[in-house]
Amino acid sequence: MRFFFYGTLLDRDVMALVIGRRLPAAAFAPAILPGHVRRRVKGASYPIAVRDTHGEIHGMVVGGLSVRDVARLSAYEWDLALWQRRDKRAFVRRLRRALSGR
């Protein structure tokens, strides 16, 4: 399986810790995600992708990922149902406030 990464998982040490093994350098290929920009999450140390028709995010497509790797990556990122129950309400409030002035 192949996935596009643009944040903390670009760091080979972080990737190795998350999936439990070190990928060969050949598994990483430079790639660009058009129509988006990378923004740092306020109060956090990781980025998010935000739509911007004039932007592009430079990252990597990583191949050679196993089903086990993908499961570990999913656990590292977040569980949607858990996030919706625990964090969505506050997130939507902040987002509404941030966008209300536009």
Side-chain angles (χ1 to χ4, degrees):
M1 286 186 253
R2 295 166 23 115
F3 290 90
F4 177 78
F5 295 104
Y6 63 91
T8 58
L9 289 165
L10 291 175
D11 184 279
R12 309 267 170 102
D13 294 329
V14 172
M15 177 68 80
L17 284 169
V18 171
I19 66 173
R21 66 187 181 102
R22 192 164 289 278
L23 294 170
F28 295 80
I32 296 174
L33 176 64
H36 292 79
V37 292
R38 180 186 295 122
R39 295 285 183 252
R40 183 168 184 245
V41 174
K42 186 176 181 176
S45 64
Y46 55 87
I48 59 170
V50 177
R51 282 196 180 139
D52 180 333
T53 56
H54 303 291
E56 61 183 26
I57 296 176
H58 292 257
M60 296 277 180
V61 169
V62 179
L65 297 168
S66 69
V67 171
R68 179 183 172 276
D69 295 337
V70 173
R72 290 178 66 123
L73 287 164
S74 294
Y76 170 75
E77 287 296 332
W78 42 271
D79 177 282
L80 179 60
L82 175 62
W83 176 83
Q84 287 171 324
R85 285 192 311 273
R86 189 177 60 193
D87 301 311
K88 180 180 175 181
R89 183 172 293 150
F91 174 82
V92 169
R93 270 196 310 268
R94 287 191 309 274
L95 185 58
R96 282 191 179 126
R97 277 196 302 268
L99 297 175
S100 67
R102 294 182 177 209

